[in-house]
Amino acid sequence: MLDIKITKTETLKEKITSNLGFGRYFSDHMFMMDYSREKGWYDARIVPYQNLCLSPAATVFHYGAEIFEGLKAYRRADGEVQLFRPIENVKRMNNSAERLRLPQMPEEDMLQAITELVKLEKDWVPSGEGESLYIRPFLFGNDDKLGVHSIENARFVIITSPSGSYYAAGINPVKIMIETEDVRAVRGGTGYAKCGGNYAASNRAGEIAEQKGYAQVLWLDGVERKYIEEVGAMNVMFKIDGEIITPALTGSILPGITRKSCLELLRNEGYKVSERLLSIDELIEALEAGKLEEAWGCGTAAVVSPIGELFYNNKTYIVNNGKIGDVTQMLYNKLTGIQWGKTEDTYNWTLKI
Ligand code: PLP
Ligand code: COI
């Protein structure tokens, strides 16, 4: 159990209630805790939201030792606040830490840090349609020396941001560009870890896609550029000729918590679901034969986002007439129903604060 020292802010910020966007506003407080090899984790504290003061030699600035998580606090219809599968984020954070050799944390301590901060910031959980308090825990190497070495000091921080829809399009279908040059991750690399470096590696293709009017990039595998992996901030699923297919977790893909939840929901609804390798050729063949019935992405920020258009090798393909499909809509309704407490949570996924 952490002994968290709380210092409250003297001036509460004005709460924004419309046009939240994603990740643009931040609540009044943040959580921080430090680590050193000698002391272990120490100085758990909640303090007013503020800039970080770090050595310019800190490891994170030079060698990219940074990992993060993303989860949400939802305002239920009855006014209470709940988290969605937070223990999954805690476990994934520790897996990411293991990959980058950043210090791990007892699961119950990380969960306590998240819940205590959300409890204090409860009034920041918005109640508008599709809105939530996005929670961003992150952890980075904080050694004050330039040699490339194993990490001795680190810092763990949690900030929260009242947010709306991740895409400007909301639940409307998004346009995705299939990337054929750059790759995001390779097996044996850091693809399965939620580390900042994966997103830095994605920047170039992401910017080019944006300039061409696409919301995000769909990545192919890093070795053969043959198999479909995931989208910039979400996992992908396709319905081809009645079969629901999502790329298998081969090590270079982020094991999404929304992905895992969608798979459980789909299997429970009796759909045929396959986690397997899906080649770009198979996808394009299905598109050309009119057999790609639906495509969607899923993630904490993106929720369930229909894909209405795919761009590959200078050709544009329209999916399901650019409309949201039945399975996508069903998943969206079921998932958001549980997350926002509009329907009963028979899976025991939610944690009330
Ligand atoms: N893939 C990537 C690259 C992501 O950034 C995210 C977002 O977290 C996801 C997938 C979806 O993961 P989750 O459902 O756990 O949010
Ligand atoms: C999330 O869904 O939590 C993400 O991390 C997406 C993010 C990169 C904006």
Side-chain angles (χ1 to χ4, degrees), residues 178-193:
I178 300 171
E179 174 60 30
T180 49
E181 293 290 325
D182 288 359
V183 297
R184 172 187 177 271
V186 290
R187 288 177 212 176
T190 56
Y192 70 89

Side-chain angles (χ1 to χ4, degrees), residues 92 184 194 199 230 232-235 254 256-258 298-300:
R92 188 170 63 190
R184 172 187 177 271
K194 205 162 166 63
Y199 298 79
E230 63 181 324
M234 51 192 197
N235 294 110
L254 192 80
I257 295 157
T258 320
C298 53
T300 299

Side-chain angles (χ1 to χ4, degrees), residues 66 76 96 140 148 151-152 167 171 176 178 198-199 239-240 257 266 281-282 287 289 295 297 314 332:
E66 191 267 354
R76 291 167 52 91
S96 302
F140 55 88
V148 177
I151 288 158
E152 290 171 15
Y167 296 114
I171 179 77
I176 299 288
I178 300 171
N198 291 341
Y199 298 79
K239 183 163 177 250
I240 301 178
I257 295 157
L266 287 165
D281 292 346
E282 184 181 346
L287 267 164
N314 287 322
Y332 180 86

